[in-house]
């Protein structure tokens, strides 16, 4: 699994998020489709260790469309 492949000392969730982003890029390039990420959260960043916020930010930096699904509705 992806999580089991995390290098020693690297956060497994951060590693998994990075691998997911790379897979999205490869699949989009292969299929000609656009890239998108779905983020399910309350929309608030809870500091530098907030992995959901980091995922959304990384997706945006990579040029992906970021779709937000609120947990507050």
């Amino acid at each position: 699994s992806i999580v089991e492949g995390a290098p020693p000392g690297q956060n497994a969730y951060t590693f998994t998020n990075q691998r997911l982003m790379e897979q999205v890029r490869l699949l989009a390039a292969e299929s000609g489709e656009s890239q998108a990420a779905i983020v399910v959260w309350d929309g608030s960043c809870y500091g530098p260790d907030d992995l959901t916020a980091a995922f959304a930010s990384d997706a945006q930096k990579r040029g992906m469309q970021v779709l937000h699904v609120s947990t507050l509705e």
Side-chain angles (χ1 to χ4, degrees), residues 10-65:
Q10 184 173 6
N11 180 291
Y13 293 104
T14 300
F15 177 77
T16 300
N17 285 347
Q18 292 169 350
R19 293 288 304 271
L20 285 170
M21 297 287 180
E22 184 58 23
Q23 288 299 309
V24 168
R25 185 190 68 74
L26 291 172
L27 289 169
E30 210 173 81
S31 68
E33 298 290 329
S34 60
Q35 301 176 54
I38 300 172
V39 182
V40 180
W41 67 331
D42 64 7
S44 297
C45 179
Y46 294 96
D49 295 330
D50 186 328
L51 296 175
T52 304
F55 178 84
S57 177
D58 189 24
Q60 187 174 22
K61 287 177 187 172
R62 292 173 185 248
M64 293 182 185
Q65 177 184 11

